[in-house]
Amino acid sequence: MKAKTVFICSLLLSVSVFGQKSEVFSTNAGAIKGYDPVAYFTQGEAIEGDEKFSFEWKGAVWHFSSEENMNTFMEKPESYAPQFGGYCAWAVSQGYTYRTSPEAWKIVDGKLYLNYSVGVQKKWEANQTELIKSGEANWPKVLEK
């Protein structure tokens, strides 16, 4: 327990000293709030992952609905992980980071994008090509804010 507390304090200190957010948006449930990133591509829907199929990548724990999906992700995580570390694509396009909903998603040109809500997603989709370009220009500098 003591080592865990020291680790958490060290992590918080490093974030405050360097002023940088985590590269992957994660909650207590894990990256993408515990949803399976591979399922968006293979099943076309947001599916909750299972803790028994989990993998740590880029400092976050990713959950999967099956061992097959976990293995697929492990082979090529960059192909399945959401863009902008799973932060809201609209927010990143505007120059900041914000949490996301696993239900507000879209695959564009083979890449997964998440947004804060379905309402924000509709706003993002109205001009997604330009907003993706803005997001790419802002990423990863927005982690420093």
Side-chain angles (χ1 to χ4, degrees), residues 37 53 72:
F53 305 117
T72 297

Side-chain angles (χ1 to χ4, degrees), residues 1-13:
M1 182 66 131
K2 197 173 195 179
K4 187 175 183 180
T5 303
V6 169
F7 172 76
I8 291 170
C9 289
S10 297
L11 182 62
L12 291 173
L13 180 61

Side-chain angles (χ1 to χ4, degrees), residues 5 7 10 12 18 25 32 59-60 65 73-74 79 82 93-94 98-99 104 112 118 120 123 127 131 141 145:
T5 303
F7 172 76
S10 297
L12 291 173
F18 298 109
F25 171 69
I32 318 178
S65 57
F73 185 87
M74 289 170 65
S79 297
S93 75
Q94 303 304 301
Y98 207 71
R99 66 182 182 262
L112 175 62
V118 173
V120 170
K123 190 174 177 180
N127 194 16
L131 294 175
K141 293 178 289 193
K145 294 181 178 185

Side-chain angles (χ1 to χ4, degrees), residues 117-139:
S117 67
V118 173
V120 170
Q121 179 182 1
K122 289 180 191 288
K123 190 174 177 180
W124 177 80
E125 287 176 337
N127 194 16
Q128 76 185 19
T129 301
E130 289 305 312
L131 294 175
I132 288 171
K133 288 178 186 174
S134 295
E136 289 171 349
N138 291 335
W139 187 258

Side-chain angles (χ1 to χ4, degrees), residues 7-135:
F7 172 76
I8 291 170
C9 289
S10 297
L11 182 62
L12 291 173
L13 180 61
S14 69
V15 170
S16 64
V17 169
F18 298 109
Q20 188 162 332
K21 296 176 182 113
S22 172
E23 187 177 353
V24 174
F25 171 69
S26 187
T27 64
N28 291 340
I32 318 178
K33 296 184 178 178
Y35 278 67
D36 181 341
V38 176
Y40 291 103
F41 293 90
T42 60
Q43 294 175 268
E45 60 183 307
I47 297 178
E48 285 189 70
D50 187 320
E51 287 184 9
K52 69 182 177 184
F53 305 117
S54 60
F55 174 67
E56 186 173 330
W57 182 68
K58 289 200 173 190
V61 177
W62 301 77
H63 296 277
F64 305 90
S65 57
S66 69
E67 185 175 3
E68 179 182 357
N69 283 6
M70 180 181 71
N71 291 336
T72 297
F73 185 87
M74 289 170 65
E75 288 175 21
K76 292 178 84 174
E78 296 86 2
S79 297
Y80 298 97
Q83 299 303 291
F84 312 132
Y87 289 98
C88 175
W90 164 264
V92 173
S93 75
Q94 303 304 301
Y96 63 96
T97 59
Y98 207 71
R99 66 182 182 262
T100 53
S101 167
E103 301 292 333
W105 65 278
K106 185 169 184 182
I107 295 174
V108 179
D109 295 329
K111 296 178 181 180
L112 175 62
Y113 295 88
L114 299 172
N115 279 287
Y116 166 72
S117 67
V118 173
V120 170
Q121 179 182 1
K122 289 180 191 288
K123 190 174 177 180
W124 177 80
E125 287 176 337
N127 194 16
Q128 76 185 19
T129 301
E130 289 305 312
L131 294 175
I132 288 171
K133 288 178 186 174
S134 295

